[in-house]
Amino acid sequence: MLINLLKNKSVAVAVSGGTDSVTLLDMLAKKAEEFNITLSVINVEHGLRKESKADSLFVKNLAESYGIPFYGFAVDAKKYAKEQKLSEETAARILRYQIFDSFDKCDCIALAHHSSDQAESILMHILRGSGAKGAVGMKALSGKYARPLLDTSKQEIERYIKENNLKFVTDSTNFENDKTRNFLRNVVFPELLKINERAVENVCRFGRNIAQDQDTLDSLADGKVILGDGFAKITDGTNCGLAVFARCVFKAAAHLGVNVDIESKHISDVFNLAQNSESGSSLDLPYRLKVYKDYDGLTFITGEVKQVSGAEVPFDGTSKEFDGKFVELSNVLDDGGLYFDFDKLPTGCVIRHRRRGDFFCKFGGGTKKLKDFLIDKKIPSRDRDALIVVAKESEVFIVCGVEISDEIKVDKNSKNIYSIVCK
């Protein structure tokens, strides 16, 4: 058991009542004092089986028998599966991890995944076409999740249960082979073990070897992905080949909270977007993840691009709130602002978003359609409508955060010099 992962920590053990989690709890309870581990038990009742409430009560009583705090939660996986059009198994996993992710009464959560689970996960991901990332399998320590039994075989767990006379419950759905993981566990791996009795061990070793390659490729991808607030951007990842590019995509997706279901077909689609599509093209990925081809790379965001307001407010030389942002004016020059001669602005200017027919006298001279000016500035098409401008009728004098018109530039005769910043 990889118990050093938990040394000097407060640990919530995820216990379903089955042999694996009961074994993990018993092992940790016996080692807690030696490794200075503070234990609690967390259980999620998914509402999928008629006996699930009884199983959760078993876990509660088990925790009490060890003198360990118990935290029980209940979710409606059937309802969630129907609403989200998911399998019940997937719905249960999502809801379970939502609870785990938000649980704040411990340093980490210990999960009872063992080497057979690891082998099943690796093979399942390969069959789904996930590529090397899926072939790595689960990590012994990943964020707040620890898997102390990941190097322990199912046979060792069963032997431990018997030798220590531990009570447990049996989930009857584990024997329903219509689920992919159950089919692999109950049908495929028994056949593989007939061919090679070390099949599970060898699949896990394959995963560890792939993990070493993955670490090398990840290091090559570092520096090619910019991670920002609500977005991620790949700069020159396509110049390093598909393998490194794939790691860039995984990093971008993970930053936006998408850690699963990005498979090889998605990587190919994103790579094709980067190589063969025009700027402004986009691609939809799982979990509402969207990728845009920009002038300088690929930008990843989640959800829809915000629809901008058609409203306007008078520009009278004072700071204003507009469409969820604050347009700040100051005659104390701001290093981050645009500077302009306030006296050169015509009366009747307003703060608004851009509109069809807008034009702009670029700094240094020369009038252009605002759209063409923003294209020249390489402002992504999805961001142009959200830009805040100061304009009178169709003439734009300030594009906040981008540039001021040559018509209001500061010169040696300027007296009322203001800065404008949009926050």
Side-chain angles (χ1 to χ4, degrees):
M1 182 171 66
L2 305 171
I3 195 168
N4 278 327
L5 297 173
L6 309 177
K7 189 174 182 179
N8 301 321
K9 293 182 179 180
S10 60
V11 179
V13 187
V15 181
S16 66
T19 56
D20 305 337
S21 58
V22 167
T23 295
L24 176 60
L25 178 61
D26 189 73
M27 286 182 168
L28 291 179
K30 291 175 178 176
K31 294 286 187 178
E33 184 175 356
E34 178 183 351
F35 287 85
N36 191 32
I37 299 171
T38 302
L39 291 177
S40 60
V41 168
I42 184 169
N43 171 266
V44 180
E45 194 264 299
H46 302 98
L48 293 176
R49 299 175 293 112
K50 61 182 181 180
E51 64 269 27
S52 60
K53 289 185 179 179
D55 290 351
S56 291
L57 180 59
F58 168 83
V59 175
K60 181 177 185 293
N61 292 334
L62 182 64
E64 291 175 351
S65 71
Y66 286 102
I68 295 173
F70 171 82
Y71 299 94
F73 300 87
V75 297
D76 191 340
K78 285 186 177 180
K79 180 181 178 182
Y80 186 77
K82 185 176 181 180
E83 291 174 346
Q84 302 297 321
K85 297 181 180 179
L86 301 169
S87 69
E88 291 182 352
E89 183 181 25
T90 300
R93 176 172 59 86
I94 291 173
L95 293 174
R96 181 168 65 251
Y97 276 92
Q98 284 179 354
I99 288 175
F100 289 169
D101 287 343
S102 62
F103 189 73
D104 60 0
K105 300 184 184 300
C106 63
D107 297 324
C108 67
I109 292 178
L111 306 174
H113 296 123
H114 48 76
S115 62
S116 291
D117 292 327
Q118 178 76 305
E120 291 161 10
S121 293
I122 291 171
L123 187 54
M124 185 164 59
H125 290 151
I126 292 173
L127 293 173
R128 286 177 174 173
S130 67
K133 185 175 184 292
V136 168
M138 297 174 284
K139 295 182 179 180
L141 187 62
S142 179
K144 70 184 292 186
Y145 297 102
R147 298 177 174 88
L149 297 180
L150 205 56
D151 64 346
T152 303
S153 71
K154 182 65 173 179
Q155 291 75 20
E156 290 176 294
I157 289 173
E158 290 173 344
R159 185 163 58 249
Y160 186 92
I161 285 282
K162 185 175 181 180
E163 290 175 352
N164 290 273
N165 196 30
L166 299 178
K167 291 182 172 58
F168 58 90
V169 297
T170 301
D171 183 347
S172 58
T173 62
N174 288 338
F175 304 101
E176 297 174 359
N177 292 334
D178 58 332
K179 298 179 177 64
T180 302
R181 182 177 288 276
N182 287 356
F183 185 79
L184 290 175
R185 177 181 300 152
N186 300 327
V187 179
V188 174
F189 269 99
E191 293 299 317
L192 291 177
L193 289 168
K194 292 177 183 178
I195 299 172
N196 187 329
E197 62 182 12
R198 301 179 68 180
V200 170
E201 178 184 345
N202 289 341
V203 171
C204 291
R205 182 183 296 110
F206 167 77
R208 290 193 295 272
N209 291 338
I210 292 294
Q212 294 175 358
D213 296 342
Q214 177 86 345
D215 288 342
T216 300
L217 292 168
D218 279 344
S219 67
L220 293 174
D222 287 341
K224 301 182 185 301
V225 184
I226 299 170
L227 305 178
D229 184 12
F231 77 94
K233 192 173 191 70
I234 297 177
T235 53
D236 62 347
T238 57
N239 297 327
C240 299
L242 187 57
V244 173
F245 179 76
R247 273 69 192 176
C248 293
V249 174
F250 292 138
K251 285 178 181 289
H255 175 69
L256 295 171
V258 181
N259 295 286
V260 296
D261 295 339
I262 301 297
E263 301 176 353
S264 57
K265 62 181 181 179
H266 301 125
I267 301 298
S268 297
D269 289 343
V270 179
F271 192 75
N272 185 60
L273 177 73
Q275 295 284 70
N276 302 315
S277 299
E278 295 181 355
S279 179
S281 301
S282 64
L283 175 69
D284 292 315
L285 295 178
Y287 298 100
R288 299 177 69 242
L289 189 64
K290 200 171 187 73
V291 190
Y292 290 91
K293 171 71 175 291
D294 291 333
Y295 299 100
D296 55 352
L298 298 172
T299 300
F300 293 69
I301 63 172
T302 53
E304 300 298 324
V305 177
K306 179 185 175 183
Q307 296 299 310
V308 298
S309 167
E312 60 182 45
V313 297
F315 185 79
D316 56 10
T318 62
S319 299
K320 300 276 186 177
E321 186 175 353
F322 178 76
D323 200 21
K325 292 189 176 182
F326 190 67
V327 181
E328 183 176 67
L329 272 79
S330 175
N331 55 7
V332 178
L333 300 187
D334 188 323
D335 289 340
L338 296 172
Y339 312 121
F340 66 97
D341 186 333
F342 186 82
D343 294 331
K344 292 181 179 180
L345 275 171
T347 58
C349 286
V350 297
I351 299 171
R352 61 172 172 82
H353 292 297
R354 72 165 184 151
R355 294 173 183 167
R356 185 183 297 275
D358 282 348
F359 64 91
F360 183 78
C361 184
K362 62 182 182 177
F363 201 80
T367 299
K368 275 197 163 190
K369 291 181 179 179
L370 182 60
K371 177 182 177 181
D372 294 338
F373 168 74
L374 296 175
I375 290 173
D376 291 344
K377 282 292 194 179
K378 298 186 176 181
I379 306 296
S381 59
R382 68 183 178 281
D383 294 334
R384 294 172 200 158
D385 287 339
L387 290 171
I388 294 175
V389 304
V390 176
K392 181 176 182 181
E393 298 176 350
S394 293
E395 183 171 4
V396 173
F397 293 96
I398 303 173
V399 183
C400 293
V402 181
E403 197 165 303
I404 65 163
S405 167
D406 190 71
E407 299 288 336
I408 60 170
K409 68 182 179 182
V410 173
D411 58 34
K412 63 181 181 180
N413 298 315
S414 297
K415 295 180 179 178
N416 289 324
I417 301 173
Y418 277 72
S419 70
I420 183 167
V421 179
C422 188
K423 299 180 180 178

